[in-house]
Amino acid sequence: MDIKFNISSILSELSGTNAKLIAVSKTQPIEKIQEAYFAGQRLFGENKAQEMAAKFEQLPKDIEWHMIGHLQTNKVKYIAPFVALIHSVDSLKLLQEINKQATRCNRIIPCLLQVHIAKEETKFGFDETEVISLISNNEIESLTHIRITGLMGMATFTDNKDLIRGEFHTLRKIFDKIKAMRFSSNVEMKELSIGMSSDYKTALLEGSTLVRVGTAIFGERNSVKN
Ligand SMILES: *Cc1c(COP(=O)(O)O)cnc(C)c1O
């Protein structure tokens, strides 16, 4: 895989949009991340807290680390000192813990709420009613060390582009609706985190601001060398 070439191809597709590229480096060794770094990439996504913390230690400090995977409350402490954005918030309990750890670190941690838009069954993510009820909760205002800055979603894993576009469109509508409403001052809809290797082009059509791309940059994960 020519990491530098892949990054520049994707960046050229993002030019003229509002989207930033997050290079999803989960399971990738340090050397590959360095290669992306030397190609100018600064935003990286990981889905495991301890793996992210270990990579943070070993890599340049101007990297922005994005947590994109399900986060257990007892793991928040590993990433709270440095994480740039947590995309995968799926409960009030997790938000409370992020607030607690952020307070300890004397920082404010931006968070996205994960919304379940795919057909596939998954344990993670809110539906529209749950998102609105969460951000309407009076307790949100008291969480002074978090900001809710947008929504994240994953489309169904399928070749059916219309289905994918429809799911992204649904999320986009929820995003726009919330944006037009008034909530606590620490809720501000700015980021729409949609799109992965197989569907980021579709996500751009629905206004993605953060695409999370792994295999299209680094190649298949855990495969024999190619
Ligand atoms: C792994 C992962 C990605 C990247 O997937 P690719 O298909 O490799 O681009 C994006 N988002 C989430 C939440 C992931 O877990």
Side-chain angles (χ1 to χ4, degrees), residues 24 26 47 68-69 152 154 196-198 212-216 221:
V24 175
K26 62 191 187 195
N47 66 343
I68 61 170
M152 183 270 242
M154 268 183 280
M196 320 188 357
S197 293
S198 56
R212 312 176 309 267
V213 180
T215 48
R221 286 177 287 274

Side-chain angles (χ1 to χ4, degrees), residues 70 90 114-125 154:
H70 176 66
D90 58 3
Q114 182 170 350
V115 182
H116 182 231
I117 51 172
K119 279 212 157 96
E120 289 135 5
E121 279 300 315
T122 156
K123 291 176 288 202
F124 309 123
M154 268 183 280

